[in-house]
């Protein structure tokens, strides 16, 4: 998440954002499967977030497949299971909503979905 980014990386990202550019890099960006599970959580929300969640999950799973291969259906099920487990951690207080939001923001940047 953004907290893992060194100061100079944050300054560069802020400069990019101030001038309406998508940041080129983001230290600490989650791996594609973490992104897919975070986006899965969005698909469980309101109709407004469902489409964004599906779009993000597709991008993350495509990145996962291009990096490591794998069966798309199995990867989708794994992302859903990981997303459900993460949602339960948030509901139990073991993880914060902000950490999920930070990952989604970082994943949006990583996949150019902003």
């Amino acid at each position: 998440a953004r907290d893992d980014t060194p100061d100079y990386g944050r300054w560069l990202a802020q400069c990019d954002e101030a001038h309406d550019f998508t940041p080129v890099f983001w230290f600490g960006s989650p791996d594609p499967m973490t992104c897919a599970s975070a986006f899965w959580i969005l698909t469980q929300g309101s109709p407004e977030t469902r489409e964004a969640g599906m779009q993000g999950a597709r991008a993350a799973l495509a990145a996962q497949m291009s990096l490591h291969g794998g069966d798309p259906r199995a990867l989708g099920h794994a992302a859903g299971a990981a997303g459900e487990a993460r949602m339960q951690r948030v509901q139990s207080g073991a993880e914060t909503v902000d950490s999920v939001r930070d990952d989604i923001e970082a994943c949006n940047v990583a996949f150019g979905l902003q």
Side-chain angles (χ1 to χ4, degrees):
R2 194 167 241 189
D3 291 341
D4 299 332
T5 304
D7 287 340
Y8 66 85
R10 280 192 228 128
W11 298 327
L12 288 172
Q14 288 170 352
C15 181
D16 285 345
E17 291 166 349
H19 295 282
D20 294 323
F21 293 106
T22 299
V24 175
F25 65 89
W26 194 318
F27 288 93
S29 291
D31 65 274
M33 285 304 288
T34 299
C35 288
S37 68
F39 285 128
W40 180 89
I41 292 171
L42 285 181
T43 69
Q44 304 306 301
S46 67
E48 297 83 37
T49 66
R50 283 188 195 131
E51 183 56 38
M54 290 300 297
Q55 180 183 6
R58 283 192 295 269
L61 291 173
Q64 177 69 20
M65 287 178 52
S66 73
L67 290 171
H68 305 290
D71 174 49
R73 182 171 285 169
L75 289 173
H77 288 297
E84 190 171 320
R86 190 167 189 188
M87 194 162 54
Q88 289 174 354
R89 288 193 304 274
V90 169
Q91 291 170 341
S92 72
E95 185 173 352
T96 66
V97 171
D98 288 341
S99 69
V100 175
R101 197 174 295 132
D102 287 347
D103 280 352
I104 290 169
E105 185 178 336
C107 295
N108 278 329
V109 170
F111 298 118
L113 299 173
Q114 290 186 329

